[in-house]
Amino acid sequence: MPHPIPETWRSAVRKTLKRGDVRQIALTRRAWHEWQAQFPKFNFDYELFDVLANALDDPALAGNQVTGMKDPRTTYEFIFQHENQPVYAKINLFPDNTVVIVYSAHRPTKGDTL
């Protein structure tokens, strides 16, 4: 059952994504390819970063904290709407709040719920 994602986490990730500094944002190849397959008109990574940052701006955004990841940092998964389509995202935030890893940004594979 999804829970509200803490504002502190959302804010830190949002700020990093909005800066768009590729030295502070890791985007997995899988996330990029699946994003482009769902939204082929988006050709640049900064467009995905903007969409994710806008989704994180929603105070009602709910998701789940993901534990047991290879990277021992704070990771959340959530589903949001973009262009009337559901998008599943999974993002990891480093402890210093300056680096994020985008693991997933694609059509939900297990239905429209987490």
Side-chain angles (χ1 to χ4, degrees):
M1 180 85 170
H3 302 283
I5 297 174
E7 170 57 26
T8 54
W9 186 90
R10 289 187 301 107
S11 177
V13 172
R14 191 170 52 243
K15 286 177 187 174
T16 300
L17 290 170
K18 285 186 181 251
R19 276 195 299 274
D21 185 341
V22 294
R23 295 171 297 177
Q24 294 179 310
I25 305 168
L27 176 60
T28 66
R29 185 177 301 242
R30 178 181 177 203
W32 179 244
H33 288 172
E34 290 179 339
W35 169 257
Q36 285 191 302
Q38 187 172 358
F39 300 103
K41 71 178 186 179
F42 291 95
N43 296 311
F44 301 99
D45 55 8
Y46 70 84
E47 294 169 314
L48 170 56
F49 302 158
D50 286 345
V51 168
L52 291 170
N54 289 337
L56 291 166
D57 203 28
D58 180 0
L61 183 67
N64 295 320
Q65 186 169 359
V66 180
T67 58
M69 297 286 295
K70 182 174 133 181
D71 296 307
R73 292 152 180 109
T74 308
T75 303
Y76 279 91
E77 64 178 355
F78 53 93
I79 295 175
F80 66 98
Q81 291 288 317
H82 179 65
E83 294 190 346
N84 297 316
Q85 295 184 50
V87 177
Y88 169 84
K90 183 167 30 174
I91 301 176
N92 180 305
L93 176 63
F94 278 44
D96 65 2
N97 291 346
T98 60
V99 176
V100 300
I101 301 172
V102 178
Y103 288 115
S104 300
H106 56 79
R107 184 174 286 112
T109 58
K110 299 177 185 176
D112 290 347
T113 59
L114 295 174

